[in-house]
C-alpha cells in the first residue's frame, strides 16, 4: 500500500514536469505541428491523459470517458494527419486534471483496501502506475525536443527525485532495487 502512495507522488511529479514543459508556451506553440505527419505538443498532452484513463478504466474500474469527443482524437492508432483540430488549452487542461483526479481516486481506493481483491489489485496498481509514469515521461521527451529545438525555449531541469533516471535519453522510473 505504501508503494502505491509513493508511486502516486511520482505520477504527480511526472505530471508537474510535463506542465513545466508546456504551461509557459503560447496557445499557437502548443497547437503547432512541425509537419503533417507530426503531432502538436497539445496532442501529446491529451494523449498522456487519454492513455491514463484507458489504463485505469480497463485494468481497475470501468468508468465512462471524461470527454468522449477526445477519445478518437487522442488515440495514437489514429494517423497524425487524420487527428483533426485540437481542443482549447482550457479543455485540454481540464481533461488532464480530471483524469489525474480519477487516477488518484482509484489508486487511493486500492491502497486503502476499498476494492475487491485488494492484494491482487495492489500488484496491478504498482505496475499500472509505473507504466503511466514512464508513458508521461516518454511523451515529455518529444514535447521537450519540440520546445527546445523547434520553438527555442529552454528546458526545465529534470525532476528532483532519486527514483527517476535517464535511459536512452528518456526519463524513466527506476526499477525497485536498482
Amino acid at each position: 500500500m505504501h508503494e502505491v502512495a509513493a508511486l502516486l507522488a511520482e505520477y504527480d511529479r511526472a505530471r508537474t514536469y510535463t506542465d513545466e514543459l508546456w504551461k509557459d508556451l503560447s496557445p499557437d506553440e502548443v497547437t503547432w505541428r512541425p509537419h503533417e505527419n507530426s503531432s502538436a505538443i497539445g496532442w501529446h498532452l491529451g494523449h498522456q491523459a487519454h492513455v491514463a484513463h484507458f489504463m485505469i478504466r480497463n485494468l481497475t474500474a470501468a468508468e465512462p470517458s471524461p470527454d468522449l469527443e477526445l477519445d478518437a482524437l487522442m488515440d495514437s492508432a489514429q494517423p497524425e494527419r487524420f487527428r483533426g483540430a485540437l481542443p482549447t488549452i482550457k479543455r485540454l487542461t481540464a481533461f488532464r486534471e480530471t483524469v489525474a483526479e480519477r487516477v488518484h481516486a482509484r489508486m487511493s481506493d486500492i491502497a486503502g483496501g476499498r476494492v475487491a481483491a485488494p492484494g491482487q489489485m495492489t500488484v496491478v496498481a504498482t505496475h499500472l502506475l509505473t507504466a503511466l509514469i514512464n508513458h508521461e515521461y516518454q511523451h515529455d521527451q518529444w514535447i521537450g525536443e519540440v520546445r527546445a529545438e523547434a520553438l527555442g525555449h529552454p528546458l526545465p531541469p529534470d525532476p528532483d527525485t532519486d527514483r527517476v533516471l535517464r535511459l536512452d535519453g528518456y526519463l524513466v522510473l527506476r526499477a525497485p532495487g536498482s
Side-chain angles (χ1 to χ4, degrees), residues 54-115:
F54 271 88
M55 288 184 73
I56 292 293
R57 182 189 94 171
N58 290 328
L59 298 176
T60 69
E63 62 178 26
S65 174
D67 193 326
L68 280 172
E69 292 178 13
L70 293 184
D71 286 348
L73 178 65
M74 300 305 172
D75 189 341
S76 60
Q78 180 76 276
E80 286 92 346
R81 66 181 182 272
F82 300 126
R83 288 187 181 153
L86 288 171
T88 64
I89 301 299
K90 183 178 179 180
R91 186 172 172 195
L92 258 177
T93 301
F95 181 61
R96 287 179 59 82
E97 289 172 359
T98 299
V99 169
E101 289 167 5
R102 289 182 178 188
V103 168
H104 269 271
R106 186 61 179 161
M107 295 298 107
S108 295
D109 284 348
I110 291 169
R114 296 181 296 277
V115 296

Side-chain angles (χ1 to χ4, degrees), residues 13 57 62 64 103 122 137 144 164 170 178:
R13 188 183 325 274
R57 182 189 94 171
V103 168
T122 299
Y137 285 135
V164 173
Y170 290 81
S178 67

